[in-house]
Amino acid sequence: MKKKNRINHIRNIGIIAHIDAGKTTVTERILYYTGRSHKIGEVHNGEAVMDWMYDEQERGITITSAVTTCQWKGNEIQIIDTPGHVDFTIEVERSLRVLDGAVGVFCAVGGVEPQSETVWRQADKYLVPKIAFVNKLDRIGASFFGAVEMMKEKLGANPLIIQLPVGSEDDFAGVIDLIHMKQIFWEDDTLGEIYATEDIHQNFLEAAKEYREKLIEAVAEVDDDIMEAYLSESPMTPEMLIAAIRKATIALQLVPVLCGSALRNKGVQPLIDAIIQFLPSPVDIPPIKGVHPETGDIISCAAKSSDPLAALIFKVAMIEGRKLSYVRIYSGEITAKGETYNPFRRASEKISRILRMHANKKERIDTAGAGSIVGIVGLKESSTGETLCSVEHPVLLERIEFYEPVISVAVEPKTHADQEKLDDVIEKFLAEDPTLRHKKDEETGQSILSGMGELHLEVIISRMQREFKTNVNVGKPQVVYRESIEKVSEASAIFDKDVSGHRHFGEVRLKLIPLDRGAENRFRSALSNEQIPDIFIPAIEKGVMESLQSGTYMGYPVVDVEVVLTGGSYKDSLGTELAYTVSASMACKMALTKGEPFLLDPIMHVEIFVPEDFIGDVIGDLNSRRGKIESIEHKMGAQVINAIVPLAQMFGYSTSLRSATQGRGTFTMHFSHFDRT
């Protein structure tokens, strides 16, 4: 097969959804039916191929995004199974950054749940075409049309129903294909491998005709050829509809919706067909844009193996103590034992091995071309979000955005042997996870780890002990606060000292103005060049910004402050960058103290699903935690409470909620903003 044709037959897709919607179960079925796995691994038994980490098997959730490749009808599908828990959102973010298409899995009972919305928005941010799979239609309370309506309301999507369920709950038996107008049934005792396609049963024919008409009308609105055929009442072939739906899906105009029950092995093969039919290959999407590191010129990187290399490292993992970099190749080719160039670090890197990944299993290959997602061993300096290219044709691709951590724990080694290992182990985790932060508390000597949530840090500590045999004592989680000031304040400072035999002089006067929440920090100069030469303004700004990293109230970073340089003086031959940096820092600290500093709490947005009988107790508990309820709405037999609550009040909330609701309440939370409480 020619390389261009081969690229046409590649699909790079991600499975995205809320926790427990069935992403990993869907992926396991895809691997089984495509022949990649010879046994179906179940999440609840801890045997899922894609959940290979011990912590994933123990908890029954996906923690790290896993990559695999399978074949279907002459096409290559490269799949990334992503986590659904909010603490591991970065895994979804960096996966979507390098994917061409996504399958959104929705629970037919829960519909569009909070994390479904988050990952859908992430896919929208990267303009990723999507298809939807409404899963768990065999469960009590399942509603296919309810889930589709929620996609319209909550996601602003334009869902296109291309399948109807045959029966629901215990009676769910198969699906109706509205494109081919056929009914598909699965044999229960064959693990879903054997299925029959037959004419639509008389009982469902009227509904099928009605929804096929709606399908054609929806496609006609976005496709001129279908509109022309529809108006002239010409026959509409399945091939015409598939081509038009594919075009509209790639253009982000429609989201084809399929249905089934992955756990009951129903509906997965048509989903694999839909991935091939409707989601783009690397050549169907616009070439990724990068910039020349020296000139800043825009460079277009087309999906051709014959073009110069442009690849993005989207994830780094430490597997068996070795650094493995996951790379998406946009154009060009990578060869084992060859060299590549990292323009961000201005460094050449040697590639010792190229691996085709199947979760934690690896297969060595000699070359990988445009459109491929592979693992690379041998990169020493390169890290997540950085570009690999050739020295002759340097290009910088857009980096991946990372989230700021909101919760911290103190970790201390239990023994002297653990002390020696701890720093090395933490360094490996930092290389893997860009949302993890580490700093040493100079006063206590403790190592402080900051992350995205309690579960995130819990998993890191667990992996320290299991994978690296490093035992640590863990202190109570500490909330990462911010500081700001109440009122306008001014201060001045002079630095006039001999340092290393040279006199340094700088005088600075600063005015600090409190800003609205979320405005961040700003610096501006209101001076003329005569008072302080412009050459020293960057040094003053540096001193100011450094001092804002640690406030005077409790030492937390200061936010939402405008710093104005209002005065100062300069002495010929004595003025230095050091003097102005130090005097600016001193003046800023004094002004912060005068400005009546106060703490800002990290505020979390919390969405709680609670049965009607317990809503009073749950609201009372939220009020006791200084929570503010924003809305209460009814959804699928439960009340959904949306509230904002200070993070400091949310520790241990899962236990309290379970106690208050007899184990029936669930909640999700994500960082909203910093504010005064």
Side-chain angles (χ1 to χ4, degrees):
M1 192 185 285
K2 283 185 186 172
K3 280 190 176 171
K4 182 166 183 188
N5 287 344
R6 192 189 72 76
I7 296 172
N8 279 332
H9 288 78
I10 291 175
R11 299 292 181 275
N12 290 318
I13 64 149
I15 313 286
I16 60 172
H18 186 85
I19 191 169
D20 208 28
K23 296 179 304 303
T24 302
T25 305
V26 168
T27 310
E28 293 296 319
R29 268 52 181 185
I30 291 174
L31 296 180
Y32 180 70
Y33 298 135
T34 56
R36 192 67 178 84
S37 298
H38 303 295
K39 177 189 172 203
I40 293 179
E42 300 292 11
V43 175
H44 53 266
N45 294 335
E47 294 174 353
V49 173
M50 303 302 275
D51 286 352
W52 57 271
M53 280 172 60
Y54 188 94
D55 283 280
E56 294 179 312
Q57 294 167 355
E58 185 180 61
R59 299 165 196 270
I61 63 169
T62 303
I63 290 168
T64 182
S65 51
V67 180
T68 191
T69 305
C70 57
Q71 308 290 327
W72 183 253
K73 298 180 181 177
N75 297 280
E76 184 178 297
I77 306 174
Q78 300 184 119
I79 305 171
I80 300 182
D81 176 31
T82 63
H85 195 286
V86 68
D87 281 15
F88 308 105
T89 303
I90 185 59
E91 290 287 336
V92 188
E93 179 89 20
R94 58 185 176 184
S95 300
L96 286 170
R97 171 70 173 77
V98 298
L99 291 171
D100 302 328
V103 178
V105 179
F106 298 93
C107 171
V109 180
V112 177
E113 295 164 289
Q115 190 64 5
S116 311
E117 202 170 339
T118 302
V119 296
W120 196 270
R121 302 266 180 256
Q122 286 172 305
D124 284 343
K125 179 169 101 178
Y126 291 117
L127 304 177
V128 176
K130 299 170 283 291
I131 60 178
F133 182 70
V134 179
N135 192 26
K136 302 192 178 184
L137 279 165
D138 59 312
R139 282 185 52 189
I140 293 170
S143 170
F144 172 70
F145 295 107
V148 173
E149 280 306 307
M150 288 178 72
M151 286 176 65
K152 290 180 192 170
E153 290 167 20
K154 288 207 161 187
L155 305 177
N158 189 7
L160 179 74
I161 295 173
I162 62 172
Q163 286 183 353
L164 292 178
V166 176
S168 67
E169 300 183 353
D170 289 343
D171 300 326
F172 176 67
V175 301
I176 292 168
D177 179 349
L178 295 175
I179 293 175
H180 296 89
M181 286 301 275
K182 292 289 181 183
Q183 195 162 311
I184 308 173
F185 286 105
W186 279 263
E187 299 280 343
D188 281 330
D189 53 355
T190 65
L191 290 177
E193 284 185 270
I194 298 174
Y195 57 99
T197 302
E198 55 191 54
D199 291 334
I200 298 170
H201 193 279
Q202 201 62 38
N203 294 353
F204 306 111
L205 193 55
E206 197 174 320
K209 284 179 178 175
E210 178 193 339
Y211 276 94
R212 189 173 201 267
E213 188 71 15
K214 288 181 178 177
L215 180 151
I216 291 169
E217 286 174 7
V219 178
E221 284 181 17
V222 296
D223 190 279
D224 293 340
D225 293 340
I226 299 294
M227 176 63 84
E228 198 175 307
Y230 178 64
L231 293 174
S232 62
E233 297 185 1
S234 302
M236 205 81 67
T237 65
E239 290 72 25
M240 286 172 64
L241 282 172
I242 288 169
I245 294 169
R246 175 181 178 77
K247 189 173 152 192
T249 304
I250 293 171
L252 306 176
Q253 294 170 310
L254 293 173
V255 178
V257 182
L258 298 92
C259 57
S261 169
L263 190 63
R264 300 283 168 256
N265 310 310
K266 293 180 171 76
V268 178
Q269 291 94 334
L271 174 64
I272 310 173
D273 286 334
I275 288 167
I276 302 300
Q277 289 169 341
F278 304 128
L279 291 178
S281 73
V283 296
D284 294 321
I285 55 172
I288 191 166
K289 298 280 195 295
V291 297
H292 193 287
E294 306 299 334
T295 65
D297 292 341
I298 303 293
I299 299 171
S300 185
C301 306
K304 293 180 186 171
S305 293
S306 56
D307 277 12
L309 176 66
L312 186 77
I313 302 167
F314 67 94
K315 177 179 163 120
V316 171
M318 293 293 172
I319 295 179
E320 295 164 4
R322 298 200 68 181
K323 181 178 174 182
L324 176 65
S325 304
Y326 288 84
V327 174
R328 162 70 195 262
I329 305 171
Y330 287 99
S331 70
E333 243 179 15
I334 287 179
T335 310
K337 309 294 181 188
E339 274 203 10
T340 184
Y341 179 66
N342 180 332
F344 180 75
R345 297 187 183 270
R346 298 172 184 268
S348 288
E349 292 271 36
K350 276 194 165 54
I351 295 168
S352 57
R353 280 185 288 164
I354 304 173
L355 307 169
R356 181 177 284 122
M357 303 301 299
H358 179 47
N360 63 329
K361 297 181 175 64
K362 304 173 277 291
E363 174 194 338
R364 288 178 81 155
I365 55 176
D366 295 326
T367 61
S372 300
I373 294 176
V374 293
I376 292 180
V377 178
L379 303 181
K380 291 182 178 173
E381 295 187 44
S382 302
S383 188
T384 304
E386 293 173 11
T387 306
L388 297 178
C389 60
S390 64
V391 181
E392 298 80 16
H393 300 93
V395 60
L396 268 173
L397 301 177
E398 185 187 346
R399 301 198 73 190
I400 300 169
E401 288 181 20
F402 301 128
Y403 300 96
E404 287 299 314
V406 293
I407 185 171
S408 302
V409 290
V411 292
E412 291 178 334
K414 285 191 175 178
T415 67
H416 184 67
D418 292 325
Q419 170 70 63
E420 291 176 351
K421 286 193 286 183
L422 184 61
D423 287 345
D424 185 46
V425 170
I426 289 174
E427 199 172 310
K428 287 178 177 172
F429 281 124
L430 293 174
E432 271 193 14
D433 189 345
T435 58
L436 190 68
R437 300 282 193 279
H438 171 243
K439 70 172 183 179
K440 278 277 179 76
D441 189 313
E442 298 301 329
E443 291 182 19
T444 63
Q446 285 181 317
S447 286
I448 307 294
L449 282 181
S450 303
M452 300 303 295
E454 285 180 279
L455 181 61
H456 182 200
L457 293 174
E458 199 179 299
V459 167
I460 293 290
I461 301 301
S462 168
R463 288 183 62 200
M464 264 186 199
Q465 293 165 342
R466 285 207 178 105
E467 291 177 32
F468 298 98
K469 306 292 185 285
T470 306
N471 293 307
V472 293
N473 293 316
V474 181
K476 189 184 172 199
Q478 299 295 309
V479 177
V480 181
Y481 294 93
R482 295 288 183 269
E483 293 182 20
S484 195
I485 56 171
E486 185 80 56
K487 64 176 190 178
V488 176
S489 62
E490 288 191 70
S492 61
I494 297 174
F495 183 85
D496 187 1
K497 285 187 180 175
D498 282 332
V499 178
S500 303
H502 181 73
R503 190 176 163 203
H504 297 258
F505 176 85
E507 182 183 6
V508 168
R509 183 166 191 81
L510 299 176
K511 182 179 185 179
L512 271 57
I513 305 166
L515 299 174
D516 293 336
R517 294 288 78 81
E520 299 184 345
N521 293 331
R522 297 202 289 259
F523 173 84
R524 64 184 172 88
S525 170
L527 291 190
S528 64
N529 194 33
E530 289 76 34
Q531 288 174 276
I532 297 177
D534 288 345
I535 194 172
F536 295 117
I537 302 300
I540 294 170
E541 183 175 358
K542 180 187 171 194
V544 165
M545 291 306 172
E546 283 177 357
S547 67
L548 293 178
Q549 291 302 306
S550 174
T552 56
Y553 187 59
M554 287 183 70
Y556 292 106
V558 179
V559 295
D560 305 334
V561 171
E562 181 178 40
V563 181
V564 185
L565 177 60
T566 58
S569 63
Y570 165 74
K571 290 183 180 178
D572 282 336
S573 76
L574 298 181
T576 63
E577 289 188 2
L578 170 68
Y580 282 108
T581 299
V582 174
S583 59
S585 179
M586 291 160 56
C588 191
K589 291 287 186 193
M590 284 188 271
L592 284 172
T593 307
K594 291 179 184 176
E596 295 181 11
F598 59 86
L599 276 188
L600 292 169
D601 280 77
I603 306 295
M604 310 303 285
H605 178 269
V606 187
E607 189 164 42
I608 307 154
F609 291 74
V610 56
E612 189 108 32
D613 301 350
F614 307 106
I615 194 161
D617 292 341
V618 172
I619 289 173
D621 184 46
L622 280 175
N623 289 334
S624 72
R625 295 172 186 269
R626 306 205 316 269
K628 292 177 186 170
I629 293 167
E630 294 186 316
S631 68
I632 301 175
E633 56 190 70
H634 185 77
K635 182 174 111 176
M636 296 190 181
Q639 296 290 339
V640 182
I641 302 170
N642 284 289
I644 53 171
V645 191
L647 175 62
Q649 303 295 320
M650 288 301 289
F651 293 123
Y653 183 65
S654 53
T655 308
S656 300
L657 183 63
R658 281 197 290 269
S659 302
T661 61
Q662 297 176 8
R664 292 167 63 193
T666 60
F667 82 103
T668 58
M669 71 174 181
H670 59 85
F671 174 72
S672 174
H673 61 285
F674 284 98
D675 208 347
R676 202 168 183 177
T677 58

